[in-house]
Amino acid sequence: FTTKEAGEGTGLGLSQVYGFVKQSNGHIKIYSELGEGTTVKLYLPRSAGDSVEAREPIGSQPVAAQPRSETILVVEDNELLLASVATMLREQGYRVLTAPNASAALELLASEDIDLLFTDVRLPGRLDGRQLADEGQQLCPDLKVLFTTGYTRNAVIHQGRLDPGVEMIGKPFSYAALVVKIQRVLGQTG
């Protein structure tokens, strides 16, 4: 359910929040009363890690990965998720370009040398992620594509199976899982 008009995006949504909380071994309680509002309580497990005093000093945190030769185009209409994924991939050494919709992505695909298109299936505008990938691969036949979605997967999944040659990672995803998936799609790991 969304209160936004068609084409304005869908925000994070309760299904995404539920996925994040369940992935963290937590739970959610929601109480709603007509005319009064809604209260959402998120319960997450306490960290069993070391106390703050026992942790390594900030200066000893790992440095960024060595630069890689690949360029990744990330297409996502959720600004926070787009910025977060782009930052994480840059920290992995990739050159990252971003676009909030398919039109902007097609402009970049026409003017830049891009190795991997990482796109949400559901995008605002006239093209969804699958249509963007199809047009992108016409422009760049060697373009690799990785889809993501937290909603309907019908654009790339039929009768419970991915279309042949389609790679996907469901939302919510961990950054570690995303890095492994991207490396696999790019042929950097077995």
Side-chain angles (χ1 to χ4, degrees):
F1 174 78
T2 182
T3 58
K4 295 183 179 186
E5 296 294 323
E8 287 187 25
T10 55
L12 189 58
L14 282 178
S15 65
Q16 292 286 58
V17 172
Y18 177 79
F20 289 129
V21 170
K22 284 300 181 187
Q23 182 179 11
S24 301
N25 296 318
H27 66 277
I28 299 175
K29 290 197 177 191
I30 300 175
Y31 177 77
S32 187
E33 193 171 317
L34 188 60
E36 296 296 318
T38 302
T39 300
V40 178
K41 293 183 179 181
L42 306 178
Y43 296 89
L44 300 171
R46 181 182 302 231
S47 173
D50 296 332
S51 67
V52 174
E53 294 82 20
R55 292 184 189 155
E56 293 180 11
I58 291 176
S60 66
Q61 292 178 352
V63 286
Q66 293 297 317
R68 299 176 184 263
S69 61
E70 298 86 6
T71 298
I72 299 173
L73 172 57
V74 180
V75 186
E76 170 64 57
D77 64 323
N78 179 310
E79 291 178 32
L80 292 174
L81 184 56
L82 179 65
S84 160
V85 168
T87 298
M88 187 273 309
L89 292 175
R90 286 183 183 110
E91 288 173 355
Q92 291 297 312
Y94 295 104
R95 178 176 176 247
V96 180
L97 304 173
T98 61
N101 56 51
S103 297
L106 285 172
E107 288 179 24
L108 289 168
L109 285 164
S111 64
E112 298 280 343
D113 186 21
I114 296 170
D115 300 289
L116 173 70
L117 171 65
F118 178 47
T119 183
D120 196 344
V121 171
R122 201 170 158 177
L123 295 171
R126 68 175 184 87
L127 298 178
D128 64 21
R130 182 60 197 229
Q131 294 164 323
L132 167 61
D134 291 343
E135 288 196 24
Q137 288 177 321
Q138 287 179 4
L139 290 169
C140 313
D142 294 330
L143 180 68
K144 292 177 174 57
V145 179
L146 175 59
F147 292 102
T148 188
T149 187
Y151 300 99
T152 180
R153 298 176 182 193
N154 293 344
V156 292
I157 295 180
H158 301 285
Q159 298 163 350
R161 281 182 242 148
L162 284 171
D163 292 339
V166 170
E167 296 286 345
M168 178 170 337
I169 186 168
K171 292 179 186 175
F173 50 81
S174 70
Y175 288 142
L178 178 60
V179 169
V180 168
K181 188 74 166 182
I182 284 176
Q183 288 174 344
R184 197 174 111 230
V185 172
L186 288 171
Q188 296 170 336
T189 61

